[in-house]
Amino acid sequence: MGTIEVRGLKKVFRQAVKDPGLAGAIKHLFTRKFTEKTAVSGIDLTVEEGEAIAYVGPNGAGKSTTIKMLTGILVPTSGEIRVMGVDPFRDRMRNARQIGAVFGQRTQLWWDIPVRESFALLKDIYEIPEDRFRRNLNTFIELLGMDEFLGLTGRKLSLGQRMRADLAAALLHDPKIVYLDEPTIGLDVAVKENIRGFVRALNRELGTTIMLTTHDLKDIEDICRRLVIIDHGRIIYDGTIEAVKDAFATERTIHFQGTFEESRLRELADRLPAAEVTIHEPGHFSVRFNRFVTGAPEITSQVMGVAEVADFRISEPDIEEVIRKVYEGGIELPRLTGMGA
Amino acid sequence: MRVRPIRGLYLYWRFISTQIKAILEYQADFWILVVSAVLTQLMGVVFIAAVFARIPSIDGWGFWEVCFMYAMIYVTEGIGSLFFEGTWRMLRYVNMGELDRFLLRPVSPVLQMLASAVGMNGLGNITLGCALIAVSLRHVRIEWTALTVFWTAVLLLSAVAIRVAINFGSNCSAFWNKSSGNAVPLAVHNVGEFAKFPITVFSHGVQLFVSVAVPFAFVSFYPAAYLFGHEDWTRYAYFGPLAAVYAWAVAYGIYRMGLRRYESTGN
């Protein structure tokens, strides 16, 4: 039984179909036409205590909708969620005590009052004992460098200050699970580094379970060990970050060293489907190929038939490339079965 | 989860006092709001006085009695603004996804919403309204016993509770209407205009409507009937607390239904 257990989770939004203008609005009163938009269509997910998982996917894939159901903001259309044994929507307040959440686009602070007083209100909201509150606050002030803006009101904070204050606000009550939705979006490099280091320490040293959605590959690499990719409301990958390239990088390149005749190499390239030969310099050439069309052993044996190969190496595909493709919605591959963390 | 009224009251006070402090510190112009509220209300009183200069009574109800009803509508509106202005923010909270913030905390979202804003203009309504009530009650021949004091207090509290429930329930229409703005809550709010006058002048349909559907009559008319001793209506006045419970149950039901439709958009 994981800290977070999700079974068959679905969320369908109903959108009213209205013709424009007043006439359309009145017509809608009588006809009530709706379209259904499935944001999350049947997700199973188990997160163990102390894990740090990155939850990524293109815009509109259902990331935020999932997080909002996990935090109890949205009610699932169907399926089941247990967060530390609690149904987050039905038992929202109990769930709220054990989680912390930062939504990069939206602050949890009060606009009109100084940050310090926002924290004091949160102390009362979460009933944090005085000594623990002091200790946590002092730690966060130091680690997140908040001294300079504690006296400012929410509205006067810069984005970087606001994000740090929001992070502290979400953690004052020592939540066991923390959801971070785009926590570094729009921040400069130094603040990003600061926040990453802080979150990593939270996970590694305090054992806090982290679920992170982000567009930033560095966030993922620095904080998470496990990667879950969602697209069109479904999980299409769940495994280690290292293994994602094995699952999704379609193109491989083998670099060869040796002696060869250029014309024969060109002939070979025409024979091999979805492969491309590049000659770099005398004695050096490489073959780029789609590994789901032709396997690496096939490529090497074919090449060895036409060239005297002295050495070769397969270049590692780039994780960044894969993640970028995920966000561009460019991943359309046979779904791999039996993937595990 | 256990309901803890003392903690709820404490948190309410913490939230609302924070808001008040912020306004006093950062908004120097709130006095303008207060003064304009007082002036608006004075115009209403002048209007009633003008009506009663021509006719001695409306359907058996005298000047001070109508003044009292009028003042009750205004005082409760003022209390609604000053302490529960958050109800009028529901549209924004729902449409901009700001309700998320309340839903993420281990405190009733309704309590957080109620205490999320302060309308200083309420101060004007309350001040003048209370003065009007005090003056009109001096023209009543009522024997102040422990029981009448008790019932007066209960009816006034119920009146406030009903007013806030109506604001809350009608503003929950935000969960259904994404684009029509405040039209529904404003329309419901204006039903209160009926209750500034003795409802006996209206048809039975209207009487029933402002007593049951949108029970503004329990804010002004029925308490007036009790205090000014209009025997034939007094017996209904005792339903005041029940009407308050009923109004809150309906409003809360609408809210729960709406919450299931909440989409948290605006990201």
Side-chain angles (χ1 to χ4, degrees), chain B residues 161-219:
Chain B
I162 289 166
R163 157 71 81 172
V164 177
I166 291 171
N167 286 352
F168 173 41
S170 59
N171 273 286
C172 282
S173 63
F175 286 112
W176 285 268
N177 296 322
K178 295 239 158 58
S179 49
S180 52
N182 271 333
V184 173
L186 280 178
V188 173
H189 176 81
N190 286 336
V191 171
E193 294 295 313
F194 285 116
K196 284 179 183 170
F197 297 96
I199 63 168
T200 52
V201 303
F202 302 116
S203 68
H204 285 296
V206 175
Q207 288 180 14
L208 210 62
F209 186 70
V210 295
S211 301
V212 179
V214 187
F216 272 117
F218 282 99
V219 174

Short mmCIF file of all heavy atoms in Angstrom, two decimals, chain B residues 161-219:
data_model
loop_
_atom_site.label_atom_id
_atom_site.label_comp_id
_atom_site.label_asym_id
_atom_site.label_seq_id
_atom_site.Cartn_x
_atom_site.Cartn_y
_atom_site.Cartn_z
N ALA B 161 -28.53 36.10 10.13
CA ALA B 161 -28.17 34.79 9.58
C ALA B 161 -28.87 34.54 8.25
O ALA B 161 -28.29 34.03 7.30
CB ALA B 161 -28.51 33.69 10.59
N ILE B 162 -30.17 34.93 8.19
CA ILE B 162 -30.94 34.72 6.96
C ILE B 162 -30.37 35.55 5.82
O ILE B 162 -30.16 35.08 4.71
CB ILE B 162 -32.43 35.05 7.19
CG1 ILE B 162 -33.06 33.99 8.10
CG2 ILE B 162 -33.18 35.15 5.87
CD1 ILE B 162 -34.41 34.38 8.67
N ARG B 163 -30.07 36.80 6.14
CA ARG B 163 -29.51 37.69 5.11
C ARG B 163 -28.21 37.11 4.54
O ARG B 163 -28.02 37.04 3.33
CB ARG B 163 -29.26 39.06 5.74
CG ARG B 163 -28.26 39.91 5.05
CD ARG B 163 -28.74 40.42 3.73
NE ARG B 163 -29.59 41.58 3.90
CZ ARG B 163 -30.03 42.33 2.88
NH1 ARG B 163 -29.70 42.00 1.64
NH2 ARG B 163 -30.79 43.36 3.09
N VAL B 164 -27.31 36.67 5.42
CA VAL B 164 -26.03 36.15 4.95
C VAL B 164 -26.24 34.85 4.16
O VAL B 164 -25.60 34.63 3.13
CB VAL B 164 -25.06 35.92 6.14
CG1 VAL B 164 -23.75 35.30 5.65
CG2 VAL B 164 -24.78 37.23 6.85
N ALA B 165 -27.18 34.02 4.62
CA ALA B 165 -27.47 32.77 3.91
C ALA B 165 -27.98 33.06 2.50
O ALA B 165 -27.59 32.39 1.53
CB ALA B 165 -28.47 31.93 4.68
N ILE B 166 -28.84 34.07 2.39
CA ILE B 166 -29.38 34.41 1.06
C ILE B 166 -28.26 34.90 0.15
O ILE B 166 -28.14 34.50 -1.01
CB ILE B 166 -30.49 35.49 1.19
CG1 ILE B 166 -31.73 34.89 1.86
CG2 ILE B 166 -30.86 36.05 -0.19
CD1 ILE B 166 -32.80 35.91 2.22
N ASN B 167 -27.39 35.76 0.70
CA ASN B 167 -26.23 36.23 -0.09
C ASN B 167 -25.38 35.05 -0.55
O ASN B 167 -24.97 34.96 -1.70
CB ASN B 167 -25.35 37.15 0.76
CG ASN B 167 -25.96 38.52 0.94
OD1 ASN B 167 -26.98 38.84 0.33
ND2 ASN B 167 -25.36 39.31 1.81
N PHE B 168 -25.09 34.17 0.40
CA PHE B 168 -24.22 33.02 0.13
C PHE B 168 -24.84 32.10 -0.92
O PHE B 168 -24.22 31.80 -1.95
CB PHE B 168 -23.97 32.28 1.45
CG PHE B 168 -23.22 30.98 1.32
CD1 PHE B 168 -22.14 30.87 0.45
CD2 PHE B 168 -23.58 29.89 2.09
CE1 PHE B 168 -21.43 29.67 0.35
CE2 PHE B 168 -22.89 28.69 1.99
CZ PHE B 168 -21.82 28.59 1.11
N GLY B 169 -26.08 31.70 -0.66
CA GLY B 169 -26.74 30.77 -1.58
C GLY B 169 -26.86 31.32 -2.99
O GLY B 169 -26.55 30.64 -3.96
N SER B 170 -27.28 32.60 -3.09
CA SER B 170 -27.48 33.16 -4.43
C SER B 170 -26.14 33.36 -5.14
O SER B 170 -26.05 33.18 -6.35
CB SER B 170 -28.25 34.49 -4.34
OG SER B 170 -27.55 35.42 -3.56
N ASN B 171 -25.10 33.68 -4.39
CA ASN B 171 -23.79 33.85 -5.03
C ASN B 171 -23.18 32.53 -5.48
O ASN B 171 -22.27 32.50 -6.31
CB ASN B 171 -22.83 34.60 -4.11
CG ASN B 171 -22.97 36.10 -4.27
OD1 ASN B 171 -22.52 36.66 -5.26
ND2 ASN B 171 -23.63 36.74 -3.32
N CYS B 172 -23.67 31.43 -4.90
CA CYS B 172 -23.19 30.11 -5.34
C CYS B 172 -23.66 29.79 -6.76
O CYS B 172 -23.21 28.80 -7.35
CB CYS B 172 -23.63 29.01 -4.39
SG CYS B 172 -22.63 28.95 -2.91
N SER B 173 -24.54 30.62 -7.31
CA SER B 173 -24.92 30.44 -8.71
C SER B 173 -23.69 30.54 -9.60
O SER B 173 -23.72 30.10 -10.75
CB SER B 173 -25.96 31.49 -9.11
OG SER B 173 -25.38 32.78 -9.02
N ALA B 174 -22.62 31.10 -9.07
CA ALA B 174 -21.36 31.22 -9.83
C ALA B 174 -20.88 29.85 -10.34
O ALA B 174 -20.25 29.77 -11.38
CB ALA B 174 -20.28 31.85 -8.96
N PHE B 175 -21.21 28.79 -9.61
CA PHE B 175 -20.77 27.46 -10.05
C PHE B 175 -21.44 27.05 -11.36
O PHE B 175 -20.94 26.22 -12.09
CB PHE B 175 -21.09 26.41 -8.99
CG PHE B 175 -20.20 26.46 -7.77
CD1 PHE B 175 -20.70 26.85 -6.54
CD2 PHE B 175 -18.86 26.12 -7.87
CE1 PHE B 175 -19.89 26.88 -5.42
CE2 PHE B 175 -18.03 26.16 -6.75
CZ PHE B 175 -18.55 26.54 -5.53
N TRP B 176 -22.62 27.62 -11.63
CA TRP B 176 -23.36 27.25 -12.84
C TRP B 176 -23.19 28.27 -13.95
O TRP B 176 -23.07 27.93 -15.10
CB TRP B 176 -24.85 27.08 -12.51
CG TRP B 176 -25.13 25.81 -11.78
CD1 TRP B 176 -25.48 24.61 -12.34
CD2 TRP B 176 -25.07 25.58 -10.37
NE1 TRP B 176 -25.63 23.67 -11.36
CE2 TRP B 176 -25.39 24.23 -10.14
CE3 TRP B 176 -24.77 26.40 -9.27
CZ2 TRP B 176 -25.43 23.66 -8.87
CZ3 TRP B 176 -24.80 25.83 -8.01
CH2 TRP B 176 -25.13 24.48 -7.82
N ASN B 177 -23.24 29.56 -13.58
CA ASN B 177 -23.12 30.63 -14.59
C ASN B 177 -21.69 31.09 -14.67
O ASN B 177 -21.18 31.63 -13.70
CB ASN B 177 -23.97 31.84 -14.19
CG ASN B 177 -25.41 31.49 -14.16
OD1 ASN B 177 -25.88 30.73 -14.98
ND2 ASN B 177 -26.10 32.04 -13.19
N LYS B 178 -21.10 30.90 -15.82
CA LYS B 178 -19.70 31.33 -15.92
C LYS B 178 -19.62 32.76 -16.42
O LYS B 178 -18.69 33.47 -16.14
CB LYS B 178 -18.96 30.41 -16.88
CG LYS B 178 -18.89 29.01 -16.32
CD LYS B 178 -17.45 28.56 -16.17
CE LYS B 178 -17.33 27.46 -15.18
NZ LYS B 178 -18.14 26.30 -15.51
N SER B 179 -20.64 33.18 -17.17
CA SER B 179 -20.47 34.45 -17.88
C SER B 179 -21.49 35.52 -17.51
O SER B 179 -21.34 36.66 -17.88
CB SER B 179 -20.53 34.20 -19.38
OG SER B 179 -21.67 33.42 -19.67
N SER B 180 -22.52 35.16 -16.74
CA SER B 180 -23.57 36.15 -16.54
C SER B 180 -23.29 37.06 -15.36
O SER B 180 -24.16 37.79 -14.91
CB SER B 180 -24.92 35.46 -16.38
OG SER B 180 -24.84 34.47 -15.39
N GLY B 181 -22.08 37.01 -14.84
CA GLY B 181 -21.70 37.93 -13.79
C GLY B 181 -22.53 37.77 -12.54
O GLY B 181 -22.94 36.67 -12.19
N ASN B 182 -22.83 38.90 -11.88
CA ASN B 182 -23.55 38.87 -10.62
C ASN B 182 -25.07 38.94 -10.80
O ASN B 182 -25.79 39.25 -9.85
CB ASN B 182 -23.10 40.04 -9.74
CG ASN B 182 -21.92 39.65 -8.88
OD1 ASN B 182 -21.76 38.47 -8.55
ND2 ASN B 182 -21.11 40.61 -8.52
N ALA B 183 -25.57 38.68 -11.99
CA ALA B 183 -26.99 38.90 -12.28
C ALA B 183 -27.90 38.17 -11.31
O ALA B 183 -28.83 38.76 -10.76
CB ALA B 183 -27.29 38.48 -13.72
N VAL B 184 -27.64 36.89 -11.07
CA VAL B 184 -28.53 36.11 -10.20
C VAL B 184 -28.50 36.63 -8.75
O VAL B 184 -29.54 36.96 -8.20
CB VAL B 184 -28.19 34.60 -10.26
CG1 VAL B 184 -28.99 33.83 -9.23
CG2 VAL B 184 -28.44 34.06 -11.66
N PRO B 185 -27.32 36.73 -8.13
CA PRO B 185 -27.33 37.24 -6.74
C PRO B 185 -27.90 38.64 -6.62
O PRO B 185 -28.55 38.96 -5.62
CB PRO B 185 -25.86 37.18 -6.32
CG PRO B 185 -25.09 36.97 -7.55
CD PRO B 185 -25.98 36.28 -8.52
N LEU B 186 -27.68 39.49 -7.63
CA LEU B 186 -28.23 40.85 -7.55
C LEU B 186 -29.76 40.82 -7.64
O LEU B 186 -30.44 41.55 -6.91
CB LEU B 186 -27.66 41.73 -8.65
CG LEU B 186 -26.25 42.27 -8.37
CD1 LEU B 186 -25.75 43.10 -9.55
CD2 LEU B 186 -26.24 43.11 -7.09
N ALA B 187 -30.28 39.95 -8.51
CA ALA B 187 -31.74 39.83 -8.63
C ALA B 187 -32.32 39.36 -7.30
O ALA B 187 -33.31 39.91 -6.80
CB ALA B 187 -32.10 38.84 -9.74
N VAL B 188 -31.68 38.36 -6.69
CA VAL B 188 -32.17 37.85 -5.40
C VAL B 188 -32.06 38.94 -4.33
O VAL B 188 -32.98 39.14 -3.54
CB VAL B 188 -31.37 36.59 -4.99
CG1 VAL B 188 -31.74 36.17 -3.58
CG2 VAL B 188 -31.60 35.46 -5.98
N HIS B 189 -30.94 39.67 -4.38
CA HIS B 189 -30.72 40.75 -3.43
C HIS B 189 -31.86 41.77 -3.49
O HIS B 189 -32.35 42.26 -2.48
CB HIS B 189 -29.39 41.42 -3.76
CG HIS B 189 -29.08 42.61 -2.92
ND1 HIS B 189 -28.54 42.50 -1.66
CD2 HIS B 189 -29.22 43.94 -3.16
CE1 HIS B 189 -28.38 43.72 -1.15
NE2 HIS B 189 -28.77 44.60 -2.04
N ASN B 190 -32.29 42.05 -4.72
CA ASN B 190 -33.33 43.07 -4.90
C ASN B 190 -34.71 42.62 -4.43
O ASN B 190 -35.60 43.44 -4.26
CB ASN B 190 -33.38 43.52 -6.36
CG ASN B 190 -32.20 44.41 -6.68
OD1 ASN B 190 -31.63 45.04 -5.78
ND2 ASN B 190 -31.80 44.45 -7.94
N VAL B 191 -34.88 41.31 -4.23
CA VAL B 191 -36.13 40.83 -3.63
C VAL B 191 -36.31 41.48 -2.26
O VAL B 191 -37.43 41.71 -1.80
CB VAL B 191 -36.12 39.29 -3.52
CG1 VAL B 191 -37.32 38.79 -2.71
CG2 VAL B 191 -36.13 38.66 -4.91
N GLY B 192 -35.19 41.83 -1.63
CA GLY B 192 -35.23 42.50 -0.33
C GLY B 192 -36.02 43.80 -0.36
O GLY B 192 -36.54 44.24 0.67
N GLU B 193 -36.13 44.41 -1.54
CA GLU B 193 -36.90 45.65 -1.66
C GLU B 193 -38.36 45.46 -1.21
O GLU B 193 -38.95 46.34 -0.60
CB GLU B 193 -36.89 46.16 -3.11
CG GLU B 193 -35.50 46.58 -3.60
CD GLU B 193 -34.95 47.79 -2.84
OE1 GLU B 193 -35.71 48.76 -2.66
OE2 GLU B 193 -33.78 47.74 -2.40
N PHE B 194 -38.90 44.28 -1.54
CA PHE B 194 -40.27 43.98 -1.11
C PHE B 194 -40.41 44.06 0.40
O PHE B 194 -41.42 44.49 0.93
CB PHE B 194 -40.68 42.57 -1.54
CG PHE B 194 -40.98 42.44 -3.00
CD1 PHE B 194 -40.20 41.63 -3.82
CD2 PHE B 194 -42.06 43.11 -3.56
CE1 PHE B 194 -40.48 41.49 -5.16
CE2 PHE B 194 -42.35 42.98 -4.91
CZ PHE B 194 -41.56 42.18 -5.71
N ALA B 195 -39.34 43.58 1.09
CA ALA B 195 -39.44 43.44 2.54
C ALA B 195 -39.18 44.73 3.27
O ALA B 195 -39.14 44.77 4.49
CB ALA B 195 -38.47 42.35 3.01
N LYS B 196 -39.02 45.85 2.52
CA LYS B 196 -38.90 47.13 3.20
C LYS B 196 -40.28 47.67 3.56
O LYS B 196 -40.40 48.68 4.24
CB LYS B 196 -38.20 48.14 2.28
CG LYS B 196 -36.70 47.93 2.17
CD LYS B 196 -36.09 48.95 1.25
CE LYS B 196 -34.60 48.71 1.07
NZ LYS B 196 -34.06 49.55 -0.01
N PHE B 197 -41.31 47.00 3.04
CA PHE B 197 -42.68 47.44 3.32
C PHE B 197 -43.46 46.26 3.91
O PHE B 197 -43.07 45.11 3.74
CB PHE B 197 -43.35 47.91 2.02
CG PHE B 197 -42.65 49.10 1.43
CD1 PHE B 197 -41.70 48.93 0.43
CD2 PHE B 197 -42.91 50.38 1.90
CE1 PHE B 197 -41.03 50.03 -0.09
CE2 PHE B 197 -42.24 51.48 1.38
CZ PHE B 197 -41.30 51.31 0.39
N PRO B 198 -44.53 46.56 4.64
CA PRO B 198 -45.32 45.45 5.18
C PRO B 198 -45.80 44.55 4.05
O PRO B 198 -46.39 45.04 3.08
CB PRO B 198 -46.50 46.16 5.87
CG PRO B 198 -46.47 47.57 5.40
CD PRO B 198 -45.06 47.87 5.01
N ILE B 199 -45.52 43.27 4.15
CA ILE B 199 -45.84 42.38 3.03
C ILE B 199 -47.34 42.21 2.85
O ILE B 199 -47.78 41.66 1.85
CB ILE B 199 -45.15 41.00 3.16
CG1 ILE B 199 -45.65 40.25 4.39
CG2 ILE B 199 -43.64 41.15 3.20
CD1 ILE B 199 -45.23 38.80 4.41
N THR B 200 -48.12 42.72 3.84
CA THR B 200 -49.58 42.60 3.72
C THR B 200 -50.11 43.35 2.50
O THR B 200 -51.20 43.06 2.03
CB THR B 200 -50.27 43.16 4.98
OG1 THR B 200 -49.76 44.48 5.21
CG2 THR B 200 -49.98 42.30 6.18
N VAL B 201 -49.34 44.33 2.00
CA VAL B 201 -49.83 45.09 0.84
C VAL B 201 -49.68 44.30 -0.45
O VAL B 201 -50.24 44.65 -1.48
CB VAL B 201 -49.11 46.46 0.67
CG1 VAL B 201 -49.25 47.29 1.93
CG2 VAL B 201 -47.64 46.27 0.31
N PHE B 202 -48.92 43.20 -0.40
CA PHE B 202 -48.70 42.42 -1.63
C PHE B 202 -49.67 41.26 -1.71
O PHE B 202 -50.33 40.89 -0.74
CB PHE B 202 -47.26 41.88 -1.67
CG PHE B 202 -46.22 42.96 -1.61
CD1 PHE B 202 -45.34 43.04 -0.54
CD2 PHE B 202 -46.12 43.90 -2.63
CE1 PHE B 202 -44.38 44.02 -0.48
CE2 PHE B 202 -45.15 44.90 -2.58
CZ PHE B 202 -44.28 44.96 -1.50
N SER B 203 -49.69 40.64 -2.90
CA SER B 203 -50.55 39.47 -3.10
C SER B 203 -50.01 38.28 -2.29
O SER B 203 -48.87 38.30 -1.82
CB SER B 203 -50.56 39.09 -4.58
OG SER B 203 -49.28 38.62 -4.95
N HIS B 204 -50.84 37.25 -2.17
CA HIS B 204 -50.41 36.07 -1.41
C HIS B 204 -49.17 35.43 -2.01
O HIS B 204 -48.32 34.91 -1.31
CB HIS B 204 -51.55 35.04 -1.34
CG HIS B 204 -52.62 35.44 -0.37
ND1 HIS B 204 -52.39 35.57 0.98
CD2 HIS B 204 -53.92 35.77 -0.56
CE1 HIS B 204 -53.50 35.95 1.58
NE2 HIS B 204 -54.45 36.10 0.67
N GLY B 205 -49.11 35.45 -3.34
CA GLY B 205 -47.96 34.87 -4.03
C GLY B 205 -46.66 35.52 -3.58
O GLY B 205 -45.70 34.84 -3.21
N VAL B 206 -46.67 36.86 -3.58
CA VAL B 206 -45.46 37.58 -3.17
C VAL B 206 -45.17 37.33 -1.70
O VAL B 206 -44.02 37.12 -1.29
CB VAL B 206 -45.62 39.10 -3.44
CG1 VAL B 206 -44.42 39.87 -2.89
CG2 VAL B 206 -45.77 39.36 -4.93
N GLN B 207 -46.22 37.32 -0.88
CA GLN B 207 -46.04 37.06 0.56
C GLN B 207 -45.35 35.73 0.79
O GLN B 207 -44.42 35.61 1.59
CB GLN B 207 -47.40 37.05 1.27
CG GLN B 207 -48.01 38.44 1.39
CD GLN B 207 -49.36 38.42 2.09
OE1 GLN B 207 -49.72 37.43 2.72
NE2 GLN B 207 -50.09 39.51 1.98
N LEU B 208 -45.84 34.72 0.06
CA LEU B 208 -45.28 33.38 0.20
C LEU B 208 -43.83 33.37 -0.29
O LEU B 208 -42.95 32.77 0.33
CB LEU B 208 -46.12 32.39 -0.61
CG LEU B 208 -46.18 30.97 -0.08
CD1 LEU B 208 -46.82 30.94 1.31
CD2 LEU B 208 -46.95 30.08 -1.04
N PHE B 209 -43.61 34.08 -1.40
CA PHE B 209 -42.28 34.11 -2.01
C PHE B 209 -41.24 34.69 -1.05
O PHE B 209 -40.18 34.11 -0.84
CB PHE B 209 -42.33 34.92 -3.31
CG PHE B 209 -41.05 34.90 -4.08
CD1 PHE B 209 -40.64 33.73 -4.72
CD2 PHE B 209 -40.26 36.04 -4.18
CE1 PHE B 209 -39.45 33.70 -5.44
CE2 PHE B 209 -39.07 36.01 -4.90
CZ PHE B 209 -38.67 34.85 -5.53
N VAL B 210 -41.56 35.86 -0.43
CA VAL B 210 -40.58 36.49 0.45
C VAL B 210 -40.57 35.87 1.85
O VAL B 210 -39.76 36.26 2.69
CB VAL B 210 -40.78 38.02 0.56
CG1 VAL B 210 -40.54 38.69 -0.78
CG2 VAL B 210 -42.15 38.35 1.10
N SER B 211 -41.48 34.92 2.09
CA SER B 211 -41.46 34.23 3.39
C SER B 211 -40.75 32.89 3.29
O SER B 211 -40.12 32.43 4.24
CB SER B 211 -42.87 34.00 3.92
OG SER B 211 -43.53 35.23 4.07
N VAL B 212 -40.88 32.23 2.12
CA VAL B 212 -40.37 30.87 1.99
C VAL B 212 -39.22 30.76 0.98
O VAL B 212 -38.13 30.30 1.30
CB VAL B 212 -41.50 29.88 1.60
CG1 VAL B 212 -40.95 28.48 1.45
CG2 VAL B 212 -42.60 29.92 2.65
N ALA B 213 -39.46 31.23 -0.24
CA ALA B 213 -38.46 31.04 -1.29
C ALA B 213 -37.19 31.84 -0.99
O ALA B 213 -36.10 31.30 -0.92
CB ALA B 213 -39.03 31.41 -2.66
N VAL B 214 -37.37 33.13 -0.80
CA VAL B 214 -36.25 34.01 -0.44
C VAL B 214 -36.70 34.75 0.82
O VAL B 214 -37.26 35.82 0.74
CB VAL B 214 -35.94 35.01 -1.57
CG1 VAL B 214 -34.67 35.79 -1.25
CG2 VAL B 214 -35.79 34.31 -2.90
N PRO B 215 -36.48 34.18 1.99
CA PRO B 215 -37.20 34.63 3.20
C PRO B 215 -36.78 35.97 3.78
O PRO B 215 -36.49 36.09 4.96
CB PRO B 215 -36.95 33.48 4.18
CG PRO B 215 -35.66 32.88 3.76
CD PRO B 215 -35.57 33.05 2.27
N PHE B 216 -36.76 37.00 2.94
CA PHE B 216 -36.43 38.34 3.43
C PHE B 216 -37.45 38.85 4.44
O PHE B 216 -37.13 39.70 5.27
CB PHE B 216 -36.35 39.33 2.26
CG PHE B 216 -34.99 39.41 1.64
CD1 PHE B 216 -34.79 39.05 0.32
CD2 PHE B 216 -33.90 39.86 2.39
CE1 PHE B 216 -33.53 39.13 -0.25
CE2 PHE B 216 -32.64 39.94 1.82
CZ PHE B 216 -32.46 39.57 0.49
N ALA B 217 -38.70 38.35 4.37
CA ALA B 217 -39.72 38.81 5.31
C ALA B 217 -39.30 38.54 6.76
O ALA B 217 -39.67 39.26 7.67
CB ALA B 217 -41.05 38.14 5.00
N PHE B 218 -38.49 37.47 6.95
CA PHE B 218 -38.02 37.16 8.30
C PHE B 218 -36.88 38.07 8.73
O PHE B 218 -36.44 38.04 9.87
CB PHE B 218 -37.59 35.69 8.39
CG PHE B 218 -38.75 34.75 8.49
CD1 PHE B 218 -39.22 34.08 7.37
CD2 PHE B 218 -39.40 34.56 9.72
CE1 PHE B 218 -40.31 33.23 7.47
CE2 PHE B 218 -40.48 33.72 9.81
CZ PHE B 218 -40.95 33.05 8.69
N VAL B 219 -36.38 38.86 7.80
CA VAL B 219 -35.34 39.83 8.15
C VAL B 219 -36.00 41.10 8.69
O VAL B 219 -35.50 41.72 9.62
CB VAL B 219 -34.47 40.16 6.91
CG1 VAL B 219 -33.48 41.27 7.23
CG2 VAL B 219 -33.74 38.90 6.43
#
